[in-house]
Amino acid sequence: MHQPEPAFLQALTAIVGPDHVITDPSQSQSYFTDWSGEQGNAPLAVVRPKTTEDVSRILALCHQQRCAVVPQGGLTGLAGGATVRGAAIALSLERLKGVIELDAESATMTVWAGTPLEVIQNEAEKAGFLFALDLGARGSCQIGGNVSTNAGGNRVIRYGMTRDLVLGLEVVQADGTVLSMLNKMAKNNAAFDLKHLFIGSEGTLGIVTQVVLRLHPKVNGANTALIALPDFSAVTRLLRYAQQELSGLVSAFEVMWQDYYRIATTVGGSRAPIAADYPLYVLMDLQSANPETTAAPFEAVLEHAFNEGWALDAAIAQSHADAEDFWILRDAVAEILPHYAPTINFDISFPISQIGLGVERLRQSVHAVDPTLTTMFFGHVGDGNIHLLVGPIPHGDKTMEHEIEKRCYEVAQALQGSISAEHGIGLHKKPWLAYSRTPAELALMRTLKQALDPHQILNPGKVFD
Amino acid sequence: MHQPEPAFLQALTAIVGPDHVITDPSQSQSYFTDWSGEQGNAPLAVVRPKTTEDVSRILALCHQQRCAVVPQGGLTGLAGGATVRGAAIALSLERLKGVIELDAESATMTVWAGTPLEVIQNEAEKAGFLFALDLGARGSCQIGGNVSTNAGGNRVIRYGMTRDLVLGLEVVQADGTVLSMLNKMAKNNAAFDLKHLFIGSEGTLGIVTQVVLRLHPKVNGANTALIALPDFSAVTRLLRYAQQELSGLVSAFEVMWQDYYRIATTVGGSRAPIAADYPLYVLMDLQSANPETTAAPFEAVLEHAFNEGWALDAAIAQSHADAEDFWILRDAVAEILPHYAPTINFDISFPISQIGLGVERLRQSVHAVDPTLTTMFFGHVGDGNIHLLVGPIPHGDKTMEHEIEKRCYEVAQALQGSISAEHGIGLHKKPWLAYSRTPAELALMRTLKQALDPHQILNPGKVFD
């Protein structure tokens, strides 16, 4: 089907009503693509269901008609997973919105997939809990998208990825079958745990409609420090020592290499709490119920780090404003990017023990292509996740971009890393997937896709071909 | 194939050598079944590979010959997942043993599937870490079995199930294909996370040969208390308050109902640290790097619980010996069981908010069948997991046993619980699986089985038919 047939549109309209089947491209422009910047086109229609039953009927219809479906949430993805390519409907979950239940005794919250992350965070806080997922797009992204991309963010070291925060799911399969797996228990070994098929598979195996989330105890503040270190070995020693002494409560362990720190404190406009002459900087955060009582052990860790020579300089936040100042440094990426456009933005992970070497090799790889390029390294080192910005690519030269990507992903491959730590594959990283997955893994992924979506209607062309 | 053909045995012998193909039933008796007590029979052969390559060649052969394979680890399973039924080889992983690598900087350990859990715990401790999985069978069970059954245990409230402790896997598929997914990173979103297919699927989708484990910071001791409470509402209030004040560090929250506590302190032979007259008892543990510094906030929680009327009496362990004494209460099950044999042992989970009601209904269900039966309730309430012992069943009456199981699983179903929190399905709970899974879920499980094991050679007859 390359043009929307009138009967097909009528059937969609019969399900969701005429206001929620948008076929005029001038009215559907915001649904063409996501934040990835991947080029999208007009969908056959934007369809906006209100209930699980709607989603089920839409998928059953599309399955029967062999019509491709691109599921869409808040459209904040960075890999093009929600971009419309070719003849497909865009299925927006935005109207499946709101909290269904907050079960305080069980510490769970059940929500519709289209609920924005920030709404969930706020509802959890009101009830005396923390919903631990947090990322920059919190105001726009939707939990269904977070689940489908297994979103990461700033607190993974303490609370895990989105996968670790999901207890249950309701999912609609390609043929419209509804899987009701709204489990609330930490322990449930009644056969296969099917929800993991749908978490992180970017809408290619099913469409998430409801999510049961795990809530954590509320935190009331943080102990925060910015620490300068001599080398990467000092970084891993500090990480292990801090985790040991603080019983695993470290909630962020963000590392900035000198190249990033210098630019953040000049071009990026951030204040430099400590001088910019050190090889490495760690932003360490310990969120807790009682930051006053955790202050002493937190500072004892820093003292030990000085005594051992791991820390060369440090600043401890004395106020919430100080802590925010430190975090502005880490979040300066948005200010920096325009100055180096066009950039390549890598989202790589390595085993933690390989990060020091990995960063060195990535830098060499970039400079082997063009020694004048600027590199900026920073990342969630506690999770093995490094972000690398490279730019400006002269005249946006695609051949050079490709060459740099190839060399960097070869480094990831050689050190058993991943080409995508948290952003996912979508369209953007599809050409490089084989650098992180073996032929046997790719074959099994295709087997699963064929078994769950035999007519290939769910987000076709995404993740792999 | 109902008899082992000579050519088939020769081919197996060519792979692993004559010492590791055992066909004489008198020498293979220990491989017939596991701790479940399910009736097993002699395998066509016990085959004991030494390498991943061996496992791959054995499965390729069995796939081609359509010979069933029962994977076996330490044979400590309680659901019959490793029991031999009918014509099948028993594939014992016991020779794939040992630590392959401990990467201290990355806080990971890579091990062979046949490594006993206790060996892994000890190696982690020697390197200054905690491997957080712990269960009674630690000396005999093997990590490959723990992964295949997604084992739970005593520390799930803090560290999660086995699934949460696994970063990477090497798995051999039914046709002998080796999936090498030895990921060490907390973050890896390079397409589908395939390892979750094999964790908890009880050897029906693939055979685990290597595991990359996540290590946690070492703990040096615990704050432990035994607390008497007036009702289940006080239990959940105490749980939430303790988790809040102690920043989620509670490492065990075991509840004993009066029926269990009375029997444990009489028939079970345990000392009663507090009187046996209270409705409920909580054993609360907080393991940490520095138990001295956590003692004050831990005791403050108890004080608050008294002030609020949640706690009626309490004993705080003043020594390691005291703490062991409290745990003996909880572990008295082994002493109690023979006195009430034959028993039915349930392993149910409920949303935490439903446990109080669930226990009441379970008790009514048992007594509706026979009011003279003894019930004993206890469990990992922080994870929603209740164990119920019922006995003695007069003359081991199978009809009565079935009637009690049916009524109890109806309670689990009605309250959105699970028929198996942690033991798995195996043979033992297969007849009841539909009480916890919808027809759509069961259909998808069958689709996966068909896609991954088209000749149905991997542990056939287990989990579902």
Side-chain angles (χ1 to χ4, degrees):
Chain A
M1 186 168 69
H2 288 276
Q3 290 293 326
E5 287 164 25
F8 177 67
L9 292 178
Q10 271 169 20
L12 288 171
T13 304
I15 298 167
V16 295
D19 291 350
H20 301 294
V21 179
I22 307 167
T23 51
D24 179 351
S26 73
Q27 284 176 47
S28 66
Q29 215 142 13
S30 60
Y31 298 89
F32 287 12
T33 190
D34 52 28
W35 286 8
S36 65
E38 291 286 337
Q39 179 79 36
N41 56 244
L44 298 174
V46 175
V47 185
R48 302 189 304 183
K50 179 71 184 157
T51 64
T52 303
E53 175 65 19
D54 288 352
V55 176
S56 169
R57 292 173 64 195
I58 294 164
L59 288 191
L61 178 69
C62 291
H63 182 73
Q64 189 219 330
Q65 301 278 321
R66 314 286 192 265
C67 177
V69 177
V70 179
Q72 295 188 337
L75 294 168
T76 61
L78 297 173
T83 301
V84 179
R85 284 274 172 92
I89 66 163
L91 186 77
S92 172
L93 281 294
E94 65 197 303
R95 292 171 71 223
L96 277 84
K97 193 162 77 177
V99 174
I100 297 166
E101 184 206 43
L102 195 149
D103 178 346
E105 285 185 287
S106 303
T108 64
M109 198 194 308
T110 307
V111 300
W112 289 105
T115 314
L117 173 57
E118 198 165 43
V119 169
I120 295 168
Q121 291 175 333
N122 292 340
E123 290 298 315
E125 196 178 349
K126 270 191 239 163
F129 289 98
L130 171 76
F131 179 60
L133 179 65
D134 192 41
L135 50 146
R138 67 185 71 77
S140 310
C141 65
Q142 295 170 10
I143 192 69
N146 300 143
V147 170
S148 301
T149 57
N150 187 30
N154 292 329
R155 294 182 187 133
V156 172
I157 187 173
R158 168 105 159 251
Y159 301 101
M161 304 286 280
T162 300
R163 184 184 302 280
D164 302 299
L165 304 173
V166 172
L167 289 167
L169 287 181
E170 182 186 72
V171 174
V172 184
Q173 293 189 260
D175 65 357
T177 302
V178 178
L179 288 169
S180 184
M181 312 178 288
L182 295 168
N183 168 70
K184 284 185 178 184
M185 285 90 69
K187 279 181 169 174
N188 185 349
N189 274 347
F192 307 173
D193 194 345
L194 298 170
K195 66 173 176 286
H196 292 290
L197 278 170
F198 304 101
I199 301 173
S201 54
E202 304 187 32
T204 61
L205 298 180
I207 294 183
V208 174
T209 46
Q210 289 185 33
V211 190
V212 184
L213 299 166
R214 178 197 299 266
L215 302 178
H216 282 96
K218 192 170 171 175
V219 294
N220 296 313
N223 308 109
T224 308
L226 183 70
I227 306 146
L229 303 96
D231 52 40
F232 196 77
S233 150
V235 172
T236 54
R237 281 161 203 254
L238 173 61
L239 171 62
R240 289 300 150 226
Y241 184 78
Q243 287 287 50
Q244 174 61 41
E245 291 301 305
L246 304 170
S247 293
L249 288 181
V250 173
S251 48
F253 194 87
E254 302 291 309
V255 178
M256 295 167 268
W257 274 255
Q258 192 187 64
D259 50 14
Y260 176 84
Y261 189 84
R262 284 197 166 161
I263 290 168
T265 55
T266 53
V267 177
S270 303
R271 188 174 76 82
I274 46 184
D277 305 323
Y278 299 105
L280 288 148
Y281 299 82
V282 168
L283 174 50
M284 186 165 79
D285 219 18
L286 187 161
Q287 297 188 325
S288 73
N290 302 302
E292 311 76 38
T293 66
T294 42
F298 186 79
E299 288 169 24
V301 167
L302 294 186
E303 200 180 314
H304 182 81
F306 273 107
N307 292 341
E308 294 288 325
W310 308 334
L312 301 177
D313 198 355
I316 299 180
Q318 301 299 326
S319 64
H320 188 64
D322 274 359
E324 282 202 330
D325 234 31
F326 297 175
W327 274 101
I328 282 171
L329 266 173
R330 174 59 184 78
D331 295 336
V333 185
E335 318 298 322
I336 293 170
L337 272 174
H339 294 277
Y340 292 86
T343 54
I344 314 176
N345 308 332
F346 289 96
D347 159 44
I348 284 174
S349 61
F350 293 114
I352 295 172
S353 58
Q354 301 296 313
I355 291 178
L357 178 62
V359 166
E360 205 175 292
R361 287 204 195 163
L362 289 171
R363 191 179 281 123
Q364 284 164 4
S365 302
V366 171
H367 289 151
V369 177
D370 180 345
T372 70
L373 286 170
T374 300
T375 58
M376 287 166 266
F377 287 93
F378 58 101
H380 320 287
V381 163
D383 322 320
N385 182 188
I386 290 301
H387 295 298
L388 160 61
L389 307 182
V390 180
I393 306 300
H395 319 291
D397 179 346
K398 288 290 166 198
T399 311
M400 180 186 284
E401 188 177 318
H402 185 271
E403 182 61 23
I404 292 168
E405 288 185 337
K406 182 167 182 295
R407 286 172 183 244
C408 288
Y409 290 134
E410 281 169 359
V411 173
Q413 182 177 37
L415 298 178
Q416 278 81 51
S418 171
I419 62 159
S420 180
E422 57 183 359
H423 297 168
I425 301 301
L427 288 168
H428 200 63
K429 296 207 178 120
K430 203 171 61 166
W432 307 106
L433 185 56
Y435 284 71
S436 282
R437 297 294 183 201
T438 62
E441 287 174 277
L442 294 170
L444 177 52
M445 290 183 202
R446 290 197 173 91
T447 298
L448 291 172
K449 175 71 176 170
Q450 182 61 33
L452 271 79
D453 180 19
H455 300 330
Q456 314 279 330
I457 67 163
L458 289 174
N459 222 2
K462 308 293 165 59
V463 188
F464 51 80
D465 285 316
Chain B
M1 188 167 67
H2 287 275
Q3 290 294 324
E5 288 164 24
F8 176 67
L9 292 177
Q10 271 168 21
L12 288 172
T13 305
I15 298 168
V16 296
D19 291 351
H20 302 295
V21 179
I22 307 167
T23 51
D24 179 350
S26 73
Q27 284 177 46
S28 66
Q29 216 142 11
S30 61
Y31 299 89
F32 287 13
T33 190
D34 51 28
W35 287 8
S36 65
E38 291 285 338
Q39 178 81 35
N41 57 245
L44 299 175
V46 176
V47 185
R48 302 191 302 183
K50 178 70 184 158
T51 64
T52 303
E53 175 65 18
D54 287 352
V55 176
S56 169
R57 290 173 66 194
I58 294 165
L59 288 192
L61 177 70
C62 291
H63 182 72
Q64 190 218 329
Q65 300 278 323
R66 312 289 192 264
C67 176
V69 178
V70 179
Q72 295 188 336
L75 295 167
T76 62
L78 297 173
T83 302
V84 179
R85 284 274 172 93
I89 66 163
L91 186 76
S92 171
L93 280 296
E94 63 196 305
R95 292 171 70 224
L96 277 84
K97 193 163 77 175
V99 175
I100 297 167
E101 184 206 43
L102 194 150
D103 178 347
E105 286 185 287
S106 303
T108 64
M109 199 194 309
T110 307
V111 299
W112 288 106
T115 313
L117 173 57
E118 199 166 42
V119 170
I120 295 169
Q121 291 176 333
N122 291 341
E123 290 297 316
E125 197 179 348
K126 271 191 238 163
F129 289 98
L130 171 76
F131 179 59
L133 179 66
D134 192 40
L135 51 145
R138 67 183 73 78
S140 310
C141 66
Q142 296 170 11
I143 192 68
N146 299 144
V147 170
S148 300
T149 57
N150 189 29
N154 292 328
R155 295 183 188 133
V156 172
I157 186 174
R158 168 106 159 251
Y159 301 101
M161 303 286 279
T162 300
R163 185 184 300 282
D164 302 298
L165 304 173
V166 172
L167 290 167
L169 288 181
E170 181 187 72
V171 174
V172 183
Q173 293 189 258
D175 65 356
T177 301
V178 178
L179 288 169
S180 182
M181 314 180 286
L182 295 168
N183 169 69
K184 285 186 180 183
M185 284 91 66
K187 281 181 166 174
N188 184 351
N189 273 346
F192 307 174
D193 195 345
L194 298 170
K195 68 174 175 284
H196 292 290
L197 278 170
F198 304 100
I199 302 173
S201 54
E202 304 187 33
T204 62
L205 298 180
I207 295 184
V208 173
T209 45
Q210 289 185 34
V211 190
V212 184
L213 299 166
R214 180 197 298 267
L215 302 178
H216 282 95
K218 192 171 173 176
V219 294
N220 297 313
N223 309 109
T224 308
L226 182 70
I227 307 147
L229 302 95
D231 53 39
F232 195 78
S233 150
V235 172
T236 56
R237 281 161 204 255
L238 173 61
L239 171 62
R240 290 297 151 229
Y241 184 78
Q243 286 288 48
Q244 173 62 41
E245 291 301 304
L246 303 171
S247 293
L249 288 181
V250 173
S251 48
F253 194 87
E254 302 291 310
V255 178
M256 294 167 269
W257 274 256
Q258 193 188 65
D259 49 14
Y260 175 84
Y261 190 84
R262 284 196 167 163
I263 291 169
T265 55
T266 52
V267 177
S270 302
R271 188 175 75 83
I274 47 186
D277 305 323
Y278 300 105
L280 288 149
Y281 299 81
V282 167
L283 173 51
M284 186 164 77
D285 219 18
L286 188 161
Q287 297 188 325
S288 72
N290 303 301
E292 311 76 38
T293 65
T294 43
F298 185 80
E299 288 169 24
V301 167
L302 294 187
E303 200 180 314
H304 183 82
F306 273 107
N307 292 341
E308 294 288 325
W310 309 335
L312 300 178
D313 198 355
I316 298 180
Q318 301 300 328
S319 63
H320 188 62
D322 274 1
E324 282 200 331
D325 234 29
F326 297 175
W327 274 102
I328 282 171
L329 267 172
R330 174 62 184 75
D331 295 336
V333 185
E335 318 298 321
I336 294 171
L337 273 174
H339 294 275
Y340 292 87
T343 55
I344 314 177
N345 309 333
F346 290 96
D347 159 45
I348 283 174
S349 60
F350 293 114
I352 294 171
S353 58
Q354 302 296 314
I355 292 178
L357 178 61
V359 166
E360 208 176 291
R361 289 204 193 161
L362 289 172
R363 191 179 282 121
Q364 285 165 5
S365 301
V366 171
H367 289 151
V369 177
D370 180 345
T372 70
L373 286 170
T374 300
T375 58
M376 288 165 264
F377 287 93
F378 58 100
H380 321 286
V381 162
D383 322 319
N385 181 186
I386 290 299
H387 295 298
L388 161 61
L389 307 183
V390 179
I393 307 299
H395 318 291
D397 180 344
K398 289 289 166 199
T399 312
M400 181 187 284
E401 187 176 319
H402 185 271
E403 183 60 23
I404 292 170
E405 288 185 336
K406 182 166 183 294
R407 286 173 183 244
C408 287
Y409 290 134
E410 281 169 358
V411 174
Q413 181 176 39
L415 298 178
Q416 279 80 53
S418 171
I419 62 158
S420 179
E422 55 182 2
H423 297 168
I425 299 303
L427 288 167
H428 199 64
K429 297 207 176 121
K430 203 171 64 164
W432 308 106
L433 186 56
Y435 284 70
S436 281
R437 297 294 182 199
T438 62
E441 287 173 278
L442 294 171
L444 177 52
M445 290 183 202
R446 291 198 172 91
T447 298
L448 291 172
K449 175 71 177 171
Q450 182 60 34
L452 271 78
D453 180 19
H455 300 329
Q456 315 278 331
I457 66 162
L458 290 174
N459 222 1
K462 309 294 166 59
V463 188
F464 51 80
D465 286 316

